[in-house]
Amino acid sequence: MSLLAAPPATVKRPIMQPAVGRVLQVVKETHDTFTLNIEPPPGDPVARFRPGQFSMLYVHGVGELPISISGDPECHDYLTYTIRSVGQVTYQLVTRQPGECIGLRGPFGTAWPLTEARGKSLLIVAGGIGLAPLRPAIYHVLRHRGDYNRLVVLYGGRSPRDLLYRKEFAAWGMLPDTQTLATVDYGGVSWRGHVGVVTAMFRHVRMQPDETVAMLCGPEIMMRYAGRELESRGIPASRIFLSMERNMKCAVGFCGHCQMGPYFVCKDGPVFPFTQIKPYLDLYEL
Amino acid sequence: MATSQIIAALAHHPFLDGLQPNHLDKLAMLACEISFEPDQVIFREGDPSSFFYLILSGRVAIEVAAPGRFLTIQTIGGGEELGWSSLLDQVNKQFRARCVEPVCALAFDGPRLTAEFENDHEFGYMLLRKVLATVAERLRATRLQMLDVYARKSGKGESGQ
Protein backbone atom coordinates (compact mmCIF):
# COMPACT_ATOMS: atom_id res chain seq x y z
CA MET A 1 0.00 0.00 0.00
CA SER A 2 1.24 3.49 -0.73
CA LEU A 3 2.46 5.30 2.34
CA LEU A 4 0.92 8.46 0.93
CA ALA A 5 -2.56 6.96 0.99
CA ALA A 6 -5.01 7.91 3.74
CA PRO A 7 -4.55 5.90 6.92
CA PRO A 8 -6.94 2.99 7.49
CA ALA A 9 -10.04 3.87 9.52
CA THR A 10 -9.22 1.85 12.61
CA VAL A 11 -10.41 4.39 15.18
CA LYS A 12 -13.38 2.89 17.03
CA ARG A 13 -14.56 5.96 18.92
CA PRO A 14 -16.24 8.90 17.13
CA ILE A 15 -13.57 10.73 15.18
CA MET A 16 -14.04 13.99 17.06
CA GLN A 17 -13.82 12.35 20.48
CA PRO A 18 -10.34 12.34 21.98
CA ALA A 19 -8.74 9.41 23.75
CA VAL A 20 -7.27 10.24 27.11
CA GLY A 21 -3.49 10.02 27.13
CA ARG A 22 -1.21 10.29 30.14
CA VAL A 23 2.00 12.34 30.11
CA LEU A 24 4.97 10.09 30.88
CA GLN A 25 7.84 12.51 30.41
CA VAL A 26 8.59 16.08 29.40
CA VAL A 27 12.09 16.77 28.04
CA LYS A 28 13.40 20.29 27.48
CA GLU A 29 14.99 20.40 24.00
CA THR A 30 15.75 24.14 23.74
CA HIS A 31 14.84 27.33 25.59
CA ASP A 32 11.28 27.22 24.17
CA THR A 33 10.79 23.70 22.81
CA PHE A 34 9.90 20.54 24.69
CA THR A 35 9.36 16.89 23.83
CA LEU A 36 6.45 15.08 25.47
CA ASN A 37 6.03 11.32 25.68
CA ILE A 38 2.36 10.50 26.07
CA GLU A 39 0.96 7.07 26.86
CA PRO A 40 -2.29 6.34 25.00
CA PRO A 41 -5.01 4.11 26.47
CA PRO A 42 -3.94 0.43 26.23
CA GLY A 43 -4.56 -1.04 22.78
CA ASP A 44 -5.79 2.25 21.40
CA PRO A 45 -5.12 2.69 17.66
CA VAL A 46 -4.17 6.33 18.26
CA ALA A 47 -0.60 5.14 18.79
CA ARG A 48 -0.22 3.47 15.39
CA PHE A 49 1.03 6.12 13.02
CA ARG A 50 3.11 6.46 9.91
CA PRO A 51 6.01 8.94 9.66
CA GLY A 52 4.72 12.40 8.75
CA GLN A 53 1.28 12.06 10.33
CA PHE A 54 -0.03 14.27 13.11
CA SER A 55 -2.35 14.07 16.10
CA MET A 56 -4.77 16.59 17.56
CA LEU A 57 -3.69 17.29 21.13
CA TYR A 58 -6.33 18.66 23.45
CA VAL A 59 -5.68 20.43 26.73
CA HIS A 60 -8.95 20.16 28.60
CA GLY A 61 -10.63 23.52 28.91
CA VAL A 62 -7.93 25.34 26.92
CA GLY A 63 -7.92 24.16 23.33
CA GLU A 64 -6.84 21.67 20.71
CA LEU A 65 -3.91 21.82 18.26
CA PRO A 66 -2.44 19.70 15.47
CA ILE A 67 1.00 18.44 16.51
CA SER A 68 3.23 16.28 14.33
CA ILE A 69 4.38 13.01 15.81
CA SER A 70 8.15 13.11 16.28
CA GLY A 71 8.95 9.69 17.73
CA ASP A 72 9.77 6.21 16.51
CA PRO A 73 6.89 4.80 14.42
CA GLU A 74 7.66 1.29 15.64
CA CYS A 75 7.25 2.24 19.29
CA HIS A 76 3.60 1.70 20.20
CA ASP A 77 3.89 2.17 23.96
CA TYR A 78 3.84 5.94 23.83
CA LEU A 79 3.61 8.81 21.36
CA THR A 80 6.25 11.51 21.12
CA TYR A 81 5.59 15.14 20.27
CA THR A 82 8.06 18.00 20.06
CA ILE A 83 6.29 21.27 20.78
CA ARG A 84 7.45 24.86 20.63
CA SER A 85 5.79 27.07 23.19
CA VAL A 86 4.43 29.99 21.19
CA GLY A 87 0.94 30.55 22.61
CA GLN A 88 -1.60 29.58 25.18
CA VAL A 89 -2.30 25.99 24.12
CA THR A 90 1.32 25.09 23.38
CA TYR A 91 2.36 26.65 26.69
CA GLN A 92 -0.22 24.53 28.50
CA LEU A 93 1.00 21.42 26.65
CA VAL A 94 4.68 21.87 27.48
CA THR A 95 4.01 22.67 31.13
CA ARG A 96 2.08 19.43 31.76
CA GLN A 97 3.55 17.26 34.49
CA PRO A 98 4.06 13.49 34.30
CA GLY A 99 0.80 11.77 35.16
CA GLU A 100 -1.43 14.57 33.84
CA CYS A 101 -3.91 13.87 31.04
CA ILE A 102 -4.04 15.16 27.47
CA GLY A 103 -6.69 14.44 24.86
CA LEU A 104 -5.49 12.64 21.72
CA ARG A 105 -7.14 12.30 18.33
CA GLY A 106 -5.60 10.75 15.28
CA PRO A 107 -3.29 9.89 13.71
CA PHE A 108 -4.28 12.05 10.75
CA GLY A 109 -3.00 12.94 7.31
CA THR A 110 -0.66 11.63 4.69
CA ALA A 111 2.78 10.21 5.38
CA TRP A 112 6.27 10.57 3.93
CA PRO A 113 6.62 8.32 0.83
CA LEU A 114 9.02 5.85 2.42
CA THR A 115 7.76 2.86 0.44
CA GLU A 116 8.23 4.67 -2.87
CA ALA A 117 11.67 5.82 -1.75
CA ARG A 118 12.99 2.28 -1.24
CA GLY A 119 16.15 1.67 -3.23
CA LYS A 120 16.80 5.39 -3.55
CA SER A 121 18.79 7.98 -1.63
CA LEU A 122 16.96 10.29 0.74
CA LEU A 123 17.64 13.98 1.10
CA ILE A 124 15.93 15.37 4.18
CA VAL A 125 15.79 19.14 4.50
CA ALA A 126 14.50 20.52 7.78
CA GLY A 127 14.13 24.04 9.07
CA GLY A 128 13.52 25.02 12.68
CA ILE A 129 10.99 22.77 14.38
CA GLY A 130 10.39 21.11 11.00
CA LEU A 131 12.93 18.48 12.00
CA ALA A 132 10.31 17.03 14.38
CA PRO A 133 7.88 15.70 11.70
CA LEU A 134 10.86 14.33 9.75
CA ARG A 135 12.41 12.48 12.68
CA PRO A 136 10.04 9.46 12.43
CA ALA A 137 11.08 9.10 8.77
CA ILE A 138 14.74 9.18 9.80
CA TYR A 139 14.06 6.54 12.48
CA HIS A 140 12.33 4.38 9.88
CA VAL A 141 15.25 4.65 7.44
CA LEU A 142 17.76 3.85 10.19
CA ARG A 143 15.73 0.77 11.23
CA HIS A 144 15.49 -0.42 7.62
CA ARG A 145 18.88 0.85 6.45
CA GLY A 146 19.31 -1.82 3.79
CA ASP A 147 16.19 -0.63 1.96
CA TYR A 148 17.67 2.77 1.15
CA ASN A 149 20.84 4.17 -0.36
CA ARG A 150 22.41 7.30 1.00
CA LEU A 151 20.76 9.36 3.73
CA VAL A 152 21.49 13.08 3.91
CA VAL A 153 19.93 15.30 6.56
CA LEU A 154 20.28 19.08 6.20
CA TYR A 155 19.06 21.17 9.08
CA GLY A 156 18.73 24.93 9.30
CA GLY A 157 17.95 26.85 12.45
CA ARG A 158 17.83 30.39 13.70
CA SER A 159 20.79 30.05 16.06
CA PRO A 160 22.74 27.21 17.69
CA ARG A 161 20.53 27.35 20.80
CA ASP A 162 17.46 26.71 18.64
CA LEU A 163 18.68 23.46 17.10
CA LEU A 164 16.73 20.36 18.13
CA TYR A 165 18.04 16.90 19.02
CA ARG A 166 21.67 18.02 18.78
CA LYS A 167 23.29 14.88 20.23
CA GLU A 168 21.08 12.61 18.15
CA PHE A 169 21.77 14.67 15.02
CA ALA A 170 25.53 14.39 15.57
CA ALA A 171 25.18 10.62 16.11
CA TRP A 172 23.28 10.20 12.81
CA GLY A 173 26.18 11.85 11.01
CA MET A 174 28.57 9.18 12.30
CA LEU A 175 26.60 6.35 10.66
CA PRO A 176 27.71 4.77 7.36
CA ASP A 177 26.28 6.28 4.16
CA THR A 178 24.82 9.10 6.19
CA GLN A 179 25.66 12.78 5.97
CA THR A 180 24.31 15.45 8.30
CA LEU A 181 24.90 19.18 8.02
CA ALA A 182 23.48 21.88 10.27
CA THR A 183 23.52 25.57 9.56
CA VAL A 184 22.24 28.59 11.46
CA ASP A 185 21.25 32.10 10.46
CA TYR A 186 23.01 33.68 13.43
CA GLY A 187 26.13 31.92 14.69
CA GLY A 188 27.36 32.81 18.14
CA VAL A 189 31.00 33.25 19.14
CA SER A 190 31.42 29.58 20.05
CA TRP A 191 29.62 28.15 16.97
CA ARG A 192 32.13 26.62 14.56
CA GLY A 193 29.60 25.12 12.15
CA HIS A 194 27.98 26.53 9.03
CA VAL A 195 26.30 29.93 8.97
CA GLY A 196 23.82 30.69 6.19
CA VAL A 197 20.55 29.46 4.77
CA VAL A 198 19.88 25.74 4.43
CA THR A 199 19.76 25.96 0.62
CA ALA A 200 23.45 26.92 0.67
CA MET A 201 24.14 23.43 2.05
CA PHE A 202 23.03 21.74 -1.18
CA ARG A 203 26.45 22.32 -2.70
CA HIS A 204 28.01 20.18 0.05
CA VAL A 205 25.68 17.20 -0.49
CA ARG A 206 27.12 14.08 -2.04
CA MET A 207 24.30 12.27 -3.87
CA GLN A 208 22.92 11.58 -7.33
CA PRO A 209 19.84 13.70 -8.19
CA ASP A 210 18.44 11.03 -10.53
CA GLU A 211 18.02 8.52 -7.70
CA THR A 212 17.15 10.88 -4.85
CA VAL A 213 13.87 11.52 -3.05
CA ALA A 214 13.74 14.81 -1.12
CA MET A 215 11.58 15.42 1.95
CA LEU A 216 11.22 18.98 3.21
CA CYS A 217 9.67 20.42 6.32
CA GLY A 218 10.08 23.89 7.77
CA PRO A 219 8.88 27.44 7.24
CA GLU A 220 6.95 27.69 3.99
CA ILE A 221 9.34 30.26 2.50
CA MET A 222 12.26 27.98 3.19
CA MET A 223 10.50 25.02 1.56
CA ARG A 224 9.52 27.05 -1.49
CA TYR A 225 13.09 28.17 -2.17
CA ALA A 226 14.54 24.79 -1.27
CA GLY A 227 12.10 23.04 -3.63
CA ARG A 228 13.03 25.33 -6.52
CA GLU A 229 16.73 24.93 -5.80
CA LEU A 230 16.45 21.14 -5.71
CA GLU A 231 14.63 21.17 -9.03
CA SER A 232 17.41 23.28 -10.54
CA ARG A 233 19.87 20.69 -9.24
CA GLY A 234 18.13 17.90 -11.10
CA ILE A 235 15.66 16.38 -8.65
CA PRO A 236 12.25 16.28 -10.38
CA ALA A 237 9.36 17.99 -8.58
CA SER A 238 7.55 14.63 -8.48
CA ARG A 239 10.26 13.32 -6.13
CA ILE A 240 10.24 16.35 -3.82
CA PHE A 241 7.77 16.16 -0.91
CA LEU A 242 6.76 18.94 1.48
CA SER A 243 4.94 18.87 4.78
CA MET A 244 2.59 21.84 4.89
CA GLU A 245 1.34 23.69 7.92
CA ARG A 246 -2.07 25.32 8.18
CA ASN A 247 -4.46 26.21 10.96
CA MET A 248 -6.16 22.82 11.29
CA LYS A 249 -9.24 22.48 13.48
CA CYS A 250 -11.25 19.33 12.77
CA ALA A 251 -8.37 17.36 11.15
CA VAL A 252 -10.76 15.37 8.93
CA GLY A 253 -11.73 17.82 6.18
CA PHE A 254 -15.06 19.00 7.61
CA CYS A 255 -14.37 22.55 8.72
CA GLY A 256 -12.26 23.99 5.88
CA HIS A 257 -9.91 25.95 8.15
CA CYS A 258 -6.85 24.42 6.54
CA GLN A 259 -7.96 24.72 2.92
CA MET A 260 -5.20 25.44 0.44
CA GLY A 261 -6.59 25.79 -3.05
CA PRO A 262 -8.52 22.58 -3.74
CA TYR A 263 -6.85 20.72 -0.88
CA PHE A 264 -7.46 20.32 2.81
CA VAL A 265 -4.04 20.15 4.45
CA CYS A 266 -5.42 17.96 7.26
CA LYS A 267 -6.66 15.11 5.05
CA ASP A 268 -4.98 15.63 1.63
CA GLY A 269 -1.70 16.51 3.41
CA PRO A 270 0.20 17.50 5.39
CA VAL A 271 2.71 15.70 3.11
CA PHE A 272 2.28 16.75 -0.53
CA PRO A 273 4.35 16.16 -3.65
CA PHE A 274 5.88 19.46 -4.78
CA THR A 275 4.14 19.03 -8.16
CA GLN A 276 0.75 19.06 -6.42
CA ILE A 277 1.24 22.00 -4.06
CA LYS A 278 3.64 24.24 -6.00
CA PRO A 279 0.93 26.34 -7.74
CA TYR A 280 -0.46 27.38 -4.36
CA LEU A 281 2.78 28.12 -2.53
CA ASP A 282 3.26 31.70 -3.62
CA LEU A 283 -0.37 32.84 -3.57
CA TYR A 284 -0.86 35.60 -1.01
CA GLU A 285 -4.50 34.68 -0.32
CA LEU A 286 -3.62 31.15 0.75
CA MET B 1 51.58 21.86 -5.74
CA ALA B 2 52.82 21.27 -9.32
CA THR B 3 51.11 23.04 -12.23
CA SER B 4 49.48 19.78 -13.33
CA GLN B 5 48.05 19.33 -9.83
CA ILE B 6 46.79 22.91 -9.85
CA ILE B 7 45.10 22.32 -13.21
CA ALA B 8 43.50 19.15 -11.81
CA ALA B 9 42.31 21.03 -8.71
CA LEU B 10 40.85 23.78 -10.88
CA ALA B 11 39.17 21.28 -13.20
CA HIS B 12 37.39 19.67 -10.23
CA HIS B 13 36.48 22.92 -8.49
CA PRO B 14 32.67 23.42 -8.62
CA PHE B 15 33.02 27.18 -9.04
CA LEU B 16 34.79 26.64 -12.36
CA ASP B 17 32.45 23.95 -13.62
CA GLY B 18 32.19 24.17 -17.43
CA LEU B 19 35.20 26.45 -17.95
CA GLN B 20 37.20 25.67 -21.09
CA PRO B 21 40.59 23.93 -20.72
CA ASN B 22 42.52 26.90 -22.13
CA HIS B 23 40.92 29.13 -19.50
CA LEU B 24 41.81 26.65 -16.77
CA ASP B 25 45.42 26.70 -18.03
CA LYS B 26 45.42 30.47 -17.87
CA LEU B 27 44.11 30.40 -14.31
CA ALA B 28 46.67 27.78 -13.34
CA MET B 29 49.47 30.09 -14.44
CA LEU B 30 48.18 32.73 -12.04
CA ALA B 31 47.36 30.43 -9.11
CA CYS B 32 49.33 30.08 -5.94
CA GLU B 33 48.57 27.39 -3.35
CA ILE B 34 48.05 28.74 0.14
CA SER B 35 47.08 27.30 3.56
CA PHE B 36 45.65 28.92 6.65
CA GLU B 37 45.42 27.73 10.25
CA PRO B 38 42.20 27.77 12.31
CA ASP B 39 41.45 31.28 13.58
CA GLN B 40 43.90 32.82 11.12
CA VAL B 41 42.49 35.97 9.56
CA ILE B 42 42.69 35.95 5.76
CA PHE B 43 41.67 39.60 5.43
CA ARG B 44 40.22 42.31 7.60
CA GLU B 45 37.49 44.89 7.06
CA GLY B 46 39.05 47.91 5.36
CA ASP B 47 41.97 45.99 3.85
CA PRO B 48 42.58 46.73 0.18
CA SER B 49 41.02 43.98 -1.91
CA SER B 50 43.97 42.08 -3.29
CA PHE B 51 43.46 38.34 -3.57
CA PHE B 52 40.73 36.18 -4.98
CA TYR B 53 40.58 32.67 -3.50
CA LEU B 54 39.16 29.36 -4.59
CA ILE B 55 38.67 27.31 -1.43
CA LEU B 56 39.73 23.68 -1.86
CA SER B 57 38.98 22.50 1.68
CA GLY B 58 38.18 23.86 5.12
CA ARG B 59 35.78 26.57 6.22
CA VAL B 60 36.00 30.36 6.45
CA ALA B 61 33.69 32.62 8.45
CA ILE B 62 32.73 35.98 6.98
CA GLU B 63 32.41 38.30 9.95
CA VAL B 64 31.50 41.87 10.74
CA ALA B 65 32.73 43.75 13.78
CA ALA B 66 30.13 44.84 16.31
CA PRO B 67 30.92 46.53 19.63
CA GLY B 68 32.78 43.97 21.69
CA ARG B 69 32.37 41.03 19.31
CA PHE B 70 32.34 39.73 15.78
CA LEU B 71 29.14 38.47 14.15
CA THR B 72 29.36 35.67 11.60
CA ILE B 73 27.22 36.43 8.56
CA GLN B 74 28.06 33.40 6.49
CA THR B 75 30.49 30.52 6.22
CA ILE B 76 32.22 29.52 3.01
CA GLY B 77 33.70 26.09 2.41
CA GLY B 78 35.46 23.85 -0.07
CA GLY B 79 34.21 24.34 -3.63
CA GLU B 80 33.36 27.99 -3.10
CA GLU B 81 35.14 31.24 -3.80
CA LEU B 82 36.22 34.02 -1.47
CA GLY B 83 37.18 37.63 -2.13
CA TRP B 84 35.30 38.48 -5.31
CA SER B 85 35.66 42.18 -4.53
CA SER B 86 39.34 41.86 -5.54
CA LEU B 87 38.06 41.61 -9.13
CA LEU B 88 36.53 45.09 -8.87
CA ASP B 89 38.46 48.33 -9.00
CA GLN B 90 39.38 50.22 -5.85
CA VAL B 91 37.20 48.37 -3.39
CA ASN B 92 38.26 47.72 0.16
CA LYS B 93 37.19 44.62 2.07
CA GLN B 94 33.81 45.06 3.71
CA PHE B 95 34.11 42.13 6.09
CA ARG B 96 36.64 40.03 7.94
CA ALA B 97 37.42 36.50 6.74
CA ARG B 98 38.59 34.13 9.49
CA CYS B 99 39.31 30.43 9.20
CA VAL B 100 37.25 28.18 11.48
CA GLU B 101 39.00 25.08 10.17
CA PRO B 102 42.36 24.52 8.46
CA VAL B 103 41.92 25.94 4.96
CA CYS B 104 43.64 25.00 1.73
CA ALA B 105 43.02 27.37 -1.18
CA LEU B 106 44.30 28.63 -4.48
CA ALA B 107 45.00 32.37 -4.40
CA PHE B 108 44.98 34.71 -7.38
CA ASP B 109 46.32 38.25 -7.40
CA GLY B 110 43.25 40.37 -8.20
CA PRO B 111 44.95 43.06 -10.33
CA ARG B 112 46.86 40.43 -12.35
CA LEU B 113 43.66 38.48 -12.91
CA THR B 114 41.70 41.55 -14.03
CA ALA B 115 44.60 42.54 -16.32
CA GLU B 116 44.24 39.11 -17.91
CA PHE B 117 40.51 39.76 -18.32
CA GLU B 118 41.43 42.88 -20.30
CA ASN B 119 43.79 40.89 -22.51
CA ASP B 120 41.32 38.08 -23.10
CA HIS B 121 37.74 39.33 -22.94
CA GLU B 122 36.24 35.87 -23.45
CA PHE B 123 38.18 34.57 -20.45
CA GLY B 124 37.11 37.60 -18.42
CA TYR B 125 33.48 37.24 -19.50
CA MET B 126 33.33 33.55 -18.58
CA LEU B 127 34.89 34.05 -15.18
CA LEU B 128 32.91 37.16 -14.29
CA ARG B 129 29.69 35.34 -15.23
CA LYS B 130 30.56 32.75 -12.59
CA VAL B 131 31.38 35.46 -10.08
CA LEU B 132 28.07 37.17 -10.82
CA ALA B 133 26.19 33.90 -10.30
CA THR B 134 27.88 33.54 -6.91
CA VAL B 135 27.08 37.13 -5.96
CA ALA B 136 23.45 36.61 -6.98
CA GLU B 137 23.23 33.38 -4.96
CA ARG B 138 24.68 35.09 -1.90
CA LEU B 139 22.33 38.05 -2.29
CA ARG B 140 19.37 35.64 -2.44
CA ALA B 141 20.65 33.81 0.62
CA THR B 142 21.15 37.06 2.53
CA ARG B 143 17.61 38.17 1.70
CA LEU B 144 16.25 34.88 2.98
CA GLN B 145 18.37 35.17 6.11
CA MET B 146 16.97 38.66 6.72
CA LEU B 147 13.43 37.28 6.65
CA ASP B 148 14.19 35.47 9.91
CA VAL B 149 11.89 32.63 8.86
CA TYR B 150 12.58 30.59 12.00
CA ALA B 151 11.45 33.33 14.38
CA ARG B 152 8.74 32.57 16.94
CA LYS B 153 5.21 33.03 15.74
CA SER B 154 2.56 34.73 17.79
CA GLY B 155 0.14 32.59 19.75
CA LYS B 156 -2.70 33.28 17.33
CA GLY B 157 -1.23 31.06 14.64
CA GLU B 158 0.31 28.45 16.88
CA SER B 159 0.42 24.97 15.48
CA GLY B 160 2.43 21.85 15.51
CA GLN B 161 5.47 22.41 13.31
Side-chain angles (χ1 to χ4, degrees), chain A residues 136-219:
Chain A
I138 297 169
Y139 285 147
H140 175 89
V141 173
L142 296 180
R143 275 183 182 272
H144 305 274
R145 199 63 191 87
D147 291 348
Y148 302 91
N149 294 337
R150 196 162 169 73
L151 171 65
V152 177
V153 184
L154 305 181
Y155 182 30
R158 191 168 193 248
S159 72
R161 73 177 195 141
D162 294 297
L163 297 178
L164 296 174
Y165 320 131
R166 283 179 69 164
K167 284 184 182 171
E168 200 174 13
F169 188 85
W172 293 336
M174 307 296 283
L175 297 170
D177 285 331
T178 306
Q179 182 186 10
T180 57
L181 292 170
T183 185
V184 296
D185 282 354
Y186 310 104
V189 176
S190 60
W191 174 252
R192 300 187 79 81
H194 295 275
V195 176
V197 292
V198 73
T199 50
M201 297 292 98
F202 293 155
R203 70 170 67 244
H204 302 297
V205 170
R206 300 185 301 275
M207 60 172 35
Q208 298 299 319
D210 56 355
E211 58 95 41
T212 297
V213 174
M215 301 178 187
L216 283 56
C217 187

Side-chain angles (χ1 to χ4, degrees), chain A residues 6-277:
Chain A
T10 53
V11 180
K12 298 288 190 290
R13 83 183 72 77
I15 201 133
M16 299 302 288
Q17 179 184 320
V20 178
R22 191 169 57 90
V23 176
L24 296 177
Q25 190 183 28
V26 182
V27 177
K28 185 174 184 178
E29 300 284 356
T30 71
H31 59 104
D32 63 358
T33 304
F34 298 78
T35 292
L36 275 70
N37 290 332
I38 302 176
E39 182 186 43
D44 196 292
V46 75
R48 307 190 80 84
F49 72 99
R50 286 175 289 125
Q53 290 191 296
F54 68 95
S55 307
M56 296 300 291
L57 267 54
Y58 176 52
V59 181
H60 297 270
V62 181
E64 189 181 48
L65 279 180
I67 305 286
S68 295
I69 307 168
S70 62
D72 186 345
E74 294 185 34
C75 166
H76 304 302
D77 297 334
Y78 58 86
L79 286 155
T80 300
Y81 302 92
T82 300
I83 303 167
R84 192 180 190 188
S85 176
V86 291
Q88 194 180 10
V89 184
T90 46
Y91 174 76
Q92 291 294 331
L93 282 167
V94 303
T95 52
R96 295 294 93 181
Q97 298 297 313
E100 290 190 279
C101 294
I102 285 178
L104 298 168
R105 289 195 296 128
F108 296 115
T110 53
W112 298 111
L114 291 163
T115 301
E116 293 85 339
R118 280 186 191 148
K120 298 188 173 66
S121 293
L122 284 184
L123 172 60
I124 286 180
V125 185
I129 199 162
L131 185 57
L134 284 161
R135 192 168 69 156
I138 297 169
Y139 285 147
H140 175 89
V141 173
L142 296 180
R143 275 183 182 272
H144 305 274
R145 199 63 191 87
D147 291 348
Y148 302 91
N149 294 337
R150 196 162 169 73
L151 171 65
V152 177
V153 184
L154 305 181
Y155 182 30
R158 191 168 193 248
S159 72
R161 73 177 195 141
D162 294 297
L163 297 178
L164 296 174
Y165 320 131
R166 283 179 69 164
K167 284 184 182 171
E168 200 174 13
F169 188 85
W172 293 336
M174 307 296 283
L175 297 170
D177 285 331
T178 306
Q179 182 186 10
T180 57
L181 292 170
T183 185
V184 296
D185 282 354
Y186 310 104
V189 176
S190 60
W191 174 252
R192 300 187 79 81
H194 295 275
V195 176
V197 292
V198 73
T199 50
M201 297 292 98
F202 293 155
R203 70 170 67 244
H204 302 297
V205 170
R206 300 185 301 275
M207 60 172 35
Q208 298 299 319
D210 56 355
E211 58 95 41
T212 297
V213 174
M215 301 178 187
L216 283 56
C217 187
E220 202 165 305
I221 297 172
M222 181 215 92
M223 289 196 289
R224 195 163 77 222
Y225 281 90
R228 287 179 193 160
E229 180 77 21
L230 290 174
E231 271 194 291
S232 75
R233 289 176 178 270
I235 302 180
S238 59
R239 275 196 274 113
I240 300 171
F241 295 83
L242 285 65
S243 179
M244 300 303 299
E245 180 187 24
R246 281 293 182 274
N247 190 16
M248 294 180 247
K249 292 291 182 191
C250 71
V252 288
F254 292 159
C255 73
H257 270 87
C258 64
Q259 191 164 0
M260 193 172 186
Y263 305 115
F264 292 113
V265 174
C266 66
K267 72 176 183 63
D268 302 315
V271 177
F272 289 96
F274 194 36
T275 40
Q276 191 178 352
I277 207 73

Side-chain angles (χ1 to χ4, degrees), chain A residues 90 129 158 195 203 245, chain B residues 59 75 137 148 158-159 161:
Chain A
T90 46
I129 199 162
R158 191 168 193 248
V195 176
R203 70 170 67 244
E245 180 187 24
Chain B
R59 192 179 309 152
T75 50
E137 187 181 319
D148 199 12
E158 65 180 347
S159 68
Q161 288 181 358

Side-chain angles (χ1 to χ4, degrees), chain B residues 11-22:
Chain B
H12 289 100
H13 199 283
F15 176 77
L16 302 174
D17 190 32
L19 215 64
Q20 292 173 15
N22 61 321

